[in-house]
Amino acid sequence: MLKTMKQQGVVPAGRGLLGKKSGLGFFLQQLVKQRALVLMSVPFLLWLVLFKYVPLWGWTIAFQKYKPAKSFGDQTWVGLKQFKFMFSDDRFLLVLRNTLAMSLINFVLGFVTAITLAILLNELRKMAFKRVVQTISYLPHFISWVVAATIIQTVLSADGGIVNEILMGLGFIHEPILWLGEGKYFWGILGASEVWKNVGWNTIIYLAAMTTIDPAQYEAAEIDGAGRFQRIFHITLPGIRPVVIILIILNLGQILETGFEPQYLLGNGPNLDYSENLEIFILKYGMNLGNYSLSVAAGIFKTVISIVLLFSANYLSKRLGQERLF
Amino acid sequence: MKTRNKWQLGFMSLALVMGLVGCGNNTANENAATPDAGNTGNAANTQTANEPEAKPEPATFTYFNATANKDTDTNKTEIGKILEEQTGVNFKMEHLVGDLNTKIGTMIASNEYPDILQPDAAIDKVLEAGAFIPLNDLIDKYGPNIKRVYEPYFNLMKAEDGNIYFLPFSAVVGEYNPNPTIDQGAFWVQNRVLKEAGYPKIKTFDEYFNLIKDYAGKHSDEKLTGFMSLTHDWRFFATTNPPNHLAGYPNDGEVQVDMNTMDSKIYATNDGTKRWLQKLNEFNAAGLFDKSSFVDNYDQYLAKLTSGKVLGFFDYGWQVNQALQTLKTETLKNGGNDDLEYFPLPITFDANTKDQYIDPASFVNNRGVGITTSAKDPERIIKFFDSLLTDDNQKLIQWGIKGQNYEVDDKGRLYRTQEQIDKLKDNDYKRQVGIGYFEYYWPMYGQGSTFPDGNAVNPGRQPEVAQASFTPAEKDRLAKYGVQTYAEMFSKPDERPWYPAWSISLEQGSEAQIYTAKKPDVQRKYFAKIVLGAPDKFDAYWNEYVDEINKLPVADYEKTMTEEVKKKAAKIKGN
């Protein structure tokens, strides 16, 4: 086998030096040589298989009318009934719209604000001030959503909430607005809350990427007469581009994961049509009604979409000659 | 502390050694650890007392109660001592430490149980494991009192195989006596509103809202909220239930059940709900309704109640108790001025509708105490259970010792002096007397039972005792309405054997279940729209809402509920 391949000049895909000498024999040889590394990775492989692949068996539940007390053999099989119920439900389509909208808002705002703040921090000269800003902007990240939601509700409250007070003081409005009681404001409120909560935390990775940029480049640019903005646009931004692209690809894969807590905690009757997302739908119609099959079906749907998005983003990136995940 | 640690270490090593030696007899281990537990069940096993007159042979059984309390021997309590003198039986009571399911799971796995067991929420597991013995024959032979108390509920107590495996705690004996303080639904109004109006009799929906409107109108500079409502998460029913109560029905959940035909109809779209929403809409337009009601969470709601700015609201006593207690504490600090506290009223749409705010008696059949397969002498235990269920012993268990924990007046009414009440607030003292161990988790007359002499079985439900907790101002106010307790303001609950209909579990995936899942969402959205909208849009929004509800499987839901209600009622009546 190996010989024929070599004779025909077919070399299995591989990179660099390894590509030239490959095949089973070589693989085994390398395996023995790197046995220590291989042995060390075995537990993690097992972990991966045990926790990420074995549970996929549970996907069978989506095609059953699952009853927890019954054994696998006794379950009733219902085919695609759960999926049909899901896709024919008006509510589901609305929920999907909300999920995508909130996700895109968070996605765009998350990248823009975090990169902007990271650049601003990077340009700061006074270390003490930089530290203070960083600490303050990280802080909200460590507050649980339960507490954060209460803070947001208080700030937006119609009975003396600071937002209404300021707007009324400035004369923009004449009576307090029920910010959380109007569906159309919800996505904006959620986007702003996410930024407030996570912007500091999200800068960390960009700041780290910026430290890897060679200072000599800045010096050279400065000597060539580049101004501060030119340095940002021509050195800093291209310097962190690989990180940004990898993060975009990864985040696209999670576009249907808008989280559960903020929507659940800030959601209420009047804004329900805008705040209910997939997770809440699954909780309401799957878990709360004991319909586990529906929950699993929705989970499968999410996974499939995620994989498709991840692969397309990766493919697109590859075609455009950019960094890619795999 | 040091010595305690040593002891713990000692016990643990002992347990470890025992464990290593072999999965030995569990009870034997416990006995080895306690020097005075010389009488094991085995000793009593050989002989049972046949003659009640003869001094019964002493026996000690084990009782595991899966709730938190201090472990003890019942004969170390005053009540337990008296019971031991009567029956010769002592119980070594052990309570739950740590996780319930782990503890019960370990028992099931080892198939080693205490003689009697109260598994609390894990009762299904215990039943599934077959750990309880059937009690039917034992009750027939040795339990005339058990029969007297529980027979009306036998149908509900029987498992699918027709056997009774445990005795629940909620069998009502005698006339049902509701809680004298309102823990159920009511329209609440601030005391100062009643005071200023001169304590008028308020009975109807319109009278109630006019009263509030008048007061708010006279105090328009105080930024008062006329009415507010709780809508947060699952507590939303506090906003959807009122039209049901206003029409003279108890809290049966989503349906109004006809007393005669047991036909169950939803009221979400009926005229009552329309009238209720119309009133809220009117109040909102007049600036008297708290708009934030539809966005506030439970904590914000409670905070507003304690602010003293809210004149009225509808809710269930248990749900606002926290806020009411806070207000009471404030009152005491303010030197007894309770203007800002709330007074519960049984409001109905029409003056001649009988209110049904107070819950009828209901039977909880998934909690109880049973005798396990490990019990050495079930006969003796069932006899003990039987002896607990006499009027005299129930009085002993619930009220304590006469002259020490309660008094009897010349009319035969039981009461407690202030000193006795204060003393019993101390849980250690309550345990020392034994009330802390016997008042619950044994076969008993259920909450709200009444003795043949008219006294309440539970001291908390005896008006004389409840009244002792009222302030003089409260007593005066109640006197103005010619009553002694809040419950007397309300009508007695009619008998509704199916009650509560909301506890009926619906088949998973059925249309009826889908209805219960989707209905609140429609209401959440439209109630806000209808109430907060301009009054001239009321009818348009209302019609939109009715259309949305009618898109749901209403007919399926009503049909299922009617069937289930009938089934439950038939089971209780024993047909």
Side-chain angles (χ1 to χ4, degrees):
Chain A
M1 178 74 179
L2 191 65
K3 265 184 186 164
T4 44
M5 267 163 60
K6 268 191 178 162
Q7 279 158 2
Q8 288 165 1
V10 179
V11 178
R15 290 195 191 114
L17 287 167
L18 295 181
K20 284 178 189 162
K21 261 177 76 186
S22 83
L24 195 60
F26 180 71
F27 172 73
L28 288 176
Q29 194 190 329
Q30 287 291 319
L31 199 66
V32 175
K33 209 161 132 195
Q34 300 173 350
R35 61 188 177 281
L37 290 174
V38 170
L39 277 177
M40 273 194 278
S41 58
V42 162
F44 299 100
L45 264 176
L46 281 178
W47 173 85
L48 192 74
V49 170
L50 189 63
F51 288 101
K52 300 285 167 183
Y53 285 92
V54 173
L56 287 183
W57 169 248
W59 277 17
T60 50
I61 289 174
F63 306 98
Q64 301 166 344
K65 189 177 161 63
Y66 180 72
K67 289 255 158 73
K70 287 187 188 169
S71 70
F72 184 75
D74 296 334
Q75 302 287 355
T76 332
W77 293 86
V78 296
L80 293 174
K81 192 178 148 226
Q82 306 296 351
F83 291 92
K84 277 186 193 139
F85 170 84
M86 208 159 69
F87 291 115
S88 61
D89 191 277
D90 294 343
R91 199 80 211 158
F92 182 76
L93 299 176
L94 188 78
V95 159
L96 206 57
R97 178 202 72 171
N98 294 344
T99 309
L100 285 173
M102 286 189 266
S103 215
L104 283 174
I105 290 171
N106 287 345
F107 183 75
V108 173
L109 279 182
F111 274 99
V112 173
T113 54
I115 293 172
T116 313
L117 183 66
I119 289 171
L120 291 178
L121 285 172
N122 194 45
E123 293 297 318
L124 281 176
R125 295 266 163 75
K126 283 225 162 47
M127 279 314 271
F129 182 65
K130 184 178 171 180
R131 289 275 149 76
V132 170
V133 171
Q134 271 189 297
T135 311
I136 292 174
S137 61
Y138 288 177
L139 272 181
H141 179 80
F142 298 100
I143 303 176
S144 89
W145 263 114
V146 178
V147 178
T150 311
I151 294 176
I152 294 163
Q153 277 170 337
T154 313
V155 166
L156 296 175
S157 157
D159 329 281
I162 189 162
V163 173
N164 277 315
E165 293 288 308
I166 289 177
L167 288 178
M168 270 162 57
L170 293 174
F172 287 118
I173 51 173
H174 297 294
E175 62 171 25
I177 295 176
L178 269 186
W179 292 104
L180 286 167
E182 292 271 354
K184 56 181 187 246
Y185 299 140
F186 189 83
W187 295 347
I189 291 169
L190 187 83
S193 313
E194 290 270 4
V195 166
W196 164 67
K197 207 166 176 303
N198 292 323
V199 67
W201 183 255
N202 290 342
T203 55
I204 294 178
I205 193 160
Y206 300 115
L207 284 171
M210 285 172 197
T211 58
T212 62
I213 301 172
D214 185 356
Q217 291 186 27
Y218 286 106
E219 281 162 27
E222 222 174 329
I223 291 164
D224 287 345
R228 185 166 264 207
F229 286 103
Q230 280 170 315
R231 270 174 299 174
I232 290 174
F233 283 107
H234 298 293
I235 299 174
T236 314
L237 281 178
I240 60 169
R241 194 180 61 196
V243 176
V244 174
I245 289 173
I246 292 289
L247 284 177
I248 288 183
I249 297 173
L250 281 174
N251 280 332
L252 267 179
Q254 295 185 342
I255 203 97
L256 288 182
E257 309 270 350
T258 37
F260 164 76
E261 288 156 297
Q263 288 87 349
Y264 186 76
L265 293 165
L266 293 173
N268 55 43
N271 67 27
L272 194 72
D273 281 355
Y274 292 85
S275 63
E276 197 171 74
N277 66 0
L278 260 181
E279 259 85 2
I280 297 177
F281 180 85
I282 294 173
L283 179 77
K284 260 188 197 160
Y285 295 101
M287 300 308 214
N288 285 357
L289 297 188
N291 188 352
Y292 302 104
S293 301
L294 183 68
S295 306
V296 179
I300 293 178
F301 169 72
K302 257 170 59 177
T303 310
V304 170
I305 299 283
S306 297
I307 290 177
V308 168
L309 283 173
L310 188 70
F311 274 87
S312 6
N314 194 55
Y315 174 75
L316 209 66
S317 181
K318 194 159 126 190
R319 285 294 296 271
L320 295 173
Q322 302 288 346
E323 297 297 320
R324 57 181 199 267
L325 206 54
F326 44 84
Chain B
M1 197 63 212
K2 273 232 167 104
T3 35
R4 220 185 117 198
N5 280 343
K6 240 185 231 164
W7 273 106
Q8 280 177 350
L9 200 70
F11 277 127
M12 278 164 69
S13 12
L14 187 70
L16 191 69
V17 169
M18 293 288 191
L20 287 175
V21 166
C23 298
N25 184 329
N26 210 3
T27 32
N29 284 355
E30 276 165 18
N31 290 337
T34 336
D36 64 353
N39 319 315
T40 62
N42 293 330
N45 199 10
T46 48
Q47 214 176 357
T48 28
N50 293 323
E51 297 293 322
E53 288 83 16
K55 183 92 178 151
E57 197 76 14
T60 294
F61 298 107
T62 52
Y63 177 13
F64 180 79
N65 179 356
T67 52
N69 204 339
K70 284 186 187 162
D71 294 351
T72 193
D73 275 82
T74 53
N75 63 6
K76 287 185 186 149
T77 66
E78 292 169 30
I79 292 173
K81 189 85 209 152
I82 297 171
L83 292 172
E84 194 189 33
E85 274 161 23
Q86 290 175 10
T87 62
V89 175
N90 169 42
F91 282 92
K92 214 175 140 51
M93 288 189 77
E94 208 191 312
H95 296 86
L96 180 67
V97 181
D99 181 58
L100 168 68
N101 287 320
T102 317
K103 180 76 191 179
I104 299 293
T106 319
M107 283 185 188
I108 292 173
S110 64
N111 206 18
E112 288 282 349
Y113 300 95
D115 293 310
I116 65 173
L117 176 64
Q118 192 288 109
D120 213 63
I123 198 157
D124 291 334
K125 283 188 187 161
V126 172
L127 288 171
E128 210 168 288
F132 282 150
I133 59 167
L135 304 176
N136 310 34
D137 293 345
L138 289 167
I139 294 173
D140 265 350
K141 273 189 220 153
Y142 307 104
N145 286 313
I146 298 178
K147 221 171 182 172
R148 173 175 57 85
V149 173
Y150 285 97
E151 198 159 30
Y153 304 98
F154 272 0
N155 276 309
L156 280 175
M157 290 160 61
K158 278 179 185 159
E160 273 175 25
D161 59 7
N163 285 327
I164 292 169
Y165 289 102
F166 61 92
L167 298 174
F169 310 122
S170 56
V172 172
V173 177
E175 199 192 340
Y176 180 65
N177 182 13
N179 200 337
T181 47
I182 299 302
D183 54 2
Q184 290 305 311
F187 274 85
W188 303 77
V189 66
Q190 248 175 2
N191 289 335
R192 57 174 165 170
V193 179
L194 289 175
K195 189 165 147 193
E196 197 173 283
Y199 301 106
K201 281 246 181 299
I202 302 292
K203 178 72 188 153
T204 70
F205 186 54
D206 291 325
E207 284 168 3
Y208 174 82
F209 280 96
N210 286 339
L211 178 78
I212 288 177
K213 203 191 259 175
D214 287 346
Y215 187 89
K218 282 182 201 152
H219 300 261
S220 52
D221 51 337
E222 289 176 35
K223 283 192 174 172
L224 298 174
T225 301
F227 193 82
M228 73 174 202
S229 199
L230 172 61
T231 61
H232 186 236
D233 208 8
W234 60 272
R235 302 180 193 269
F236 185 53
F237 60 81
T239 303
T240 60
N241 283 358
N244 183 37
H245 290 295
L246 288 166
Y249 290 92
N251 183 10
D252 255 330
E254 303 299 332
V255 287
Q256 292 176 341
V257 185
D258 187 286
M259 291 282 282
N260 300 317
T261 64
M262 290 187 215
D263 268 337
S264 308
K265 289 257 171 285
I266 62 156
Y267 55 88
T269 52
N270 74 5
D271 283 342
T273 299
K274 191 174 179 184
R275 226 175 129 181
W276 159 244
L277 291 176
Q278 185 120 42
K279 183 63 87 182
L280 293 184
N281 177 273
E282 181 194 316
F283 252 54
N284 180 56
L288 290 172
F289 180 75
D290 180 27
K291 285 183 179 19
S292 306
S293 288
F294 286 104
V295 296
D296 281 351
N297 62 28
Y298 182 50
D299 293 328
Q300 288 166 314
Y301 168 81
L302 291 180
K304 282 184 180 171
L305 284 186
T306 51
S307 74
K309 292 276 183 196
V310 180
L311 300 179
F313 65 94
F314 169 88
D315 209 336
Y316 295 87
W318 55 265
Q319 194 151 248
V320 290
N321 192 35
Q322 220 181 325
L324 298 183
Q325 289 307 321
T326 311
L327 283 171
K328 188 155 240 167
T329 320
E330 282 299 307
T331 300
L332 294 177
K333 268 193 230 156
N334 293 339
N337 179 357
D338 60 0
D339 274 357
L340 301 183
E341 284 192 50
Y342 291 92
F343 192 89
L345 291 167
I347 302 296
T348 50
F349 279 131
D350 308 300
N352 44 15
T353 308
K354 182 177 167 195
D355 70 84
Q356 288 290 294
Y357 281 89
I358 294 178
D359 276 350
S362 59
F363 189 75
V364 180
N365 64 352
N366 61 358
R367 291 288 185 281
V369 56
I371 303 177
T372 70
T373 48
S374 306
K376 279 142 251 128
D377 193 355
E379 283 173 26
R380 192 81 192 268
I381 296 171
I382 210 85
K383 278 183 184 163
F384 179 82
F385 282 176
D386 192 68
S387 73
L388 281 178
L389 294 169
T390 60
D391 288 347
D392 285 343
N393 277 343
Q394 283 296 306
K395 208 168 271 180
L396 174 71
I397 282 160
Q398 297 289 342
W399 285 83
I401 292 152
K402 188 178 165 184
Q404 179 188 327
N405 305 115
Y406 71 94
E407 308 291 336
V408 185
D409 72 6
D410 44 10
K411 285 177 208 141
R413 296 292 292 174
L414 274 56
Y415 70 99
R416 276 179 180 157
T417 64
Q418 195 59 46
E419 193 195 351
Q420 287 165 344
I421 289 174
D422 290 343
K423 221 170 165 192
L424 279 168
K425 279 181 186 158
D426 175 13
N427 281 330
D428 281 330
Y429 177 70
K430 221 171 147 184
R431 276 193 278 264
Q432 184 200 320
V433 177
I435 299 177
Y437 290 107
F438 281 105
E439 67 178 348
Y440 212 84
Y441 302 119
W442 292 88
M444 60 187 277
Y445 291 7
Q447 294 274 331
S449 299
T450 314
F451 289 120
D453 60 11
N455 283 302
V457 171
N458 314 100
R461 300 215 174 190
Q462 182 87 331
E464 285 87 341
V465 175
Q467 252 205 330
S469 68
F470 295 160
T471 61
E474 257 179 313
K475 282 184 196 161
D476 281 354
R477 193 174 304 110
L478 287 166
K480 293 220 165 63
Y481 286 101
V483 293
Q484 287 186 309
T485 66
Y486 291 105
E488 287 173 45
M489 299 281 297
F490 292 68
S491 304
K492 288 239 154 139
D494 291 332
E495 201 182 315
R496 292 169 205 261
W498 63 85
Y499 188 85
W502 55 259
S503 74
I504 288 169
S505 59
L506 298 164
E507 195 202 335
Q508 182 206 321
S510 64
E511 290 290 303
Q513 196 205 27
I514 302 271
Y515 173 82
T516 58
K518 292 197 163 180
K519 189 223 71 156
D521 280 355
V522 176
Q523 288 188 318
R524 256 169 224 280
K525 183 174 154 190
Y526 279 97
F527 272 31
K529 216 170 162 181
I530 294 170
V531 173
L532 302 181
D536 57 333
K537 289 203 183 125
F538 179 85
D539 283 316
Y541 286 151
W542 169 260
N543 291 336
E544 223 177 284
Y545 159 71
V546 173
D547 285 348
E548 284 292 322
I549 289 281
N550 285 338
K551 277 185 201 160
L552 303 177
V554 176
D556 287 294
Y557 178 69
E558 287 180 340
K559 188 169 158 260
T560 312
M561 287 307 282
T562 305
E563 280 166 12
E564 291 297 324
V565 162
K566 280 183 182 161
K567 228 185 269 171
K568 197 171 166 190
K571 211 171 176 188
I572 290 176
K573 287 184 186 154
N575 299 326

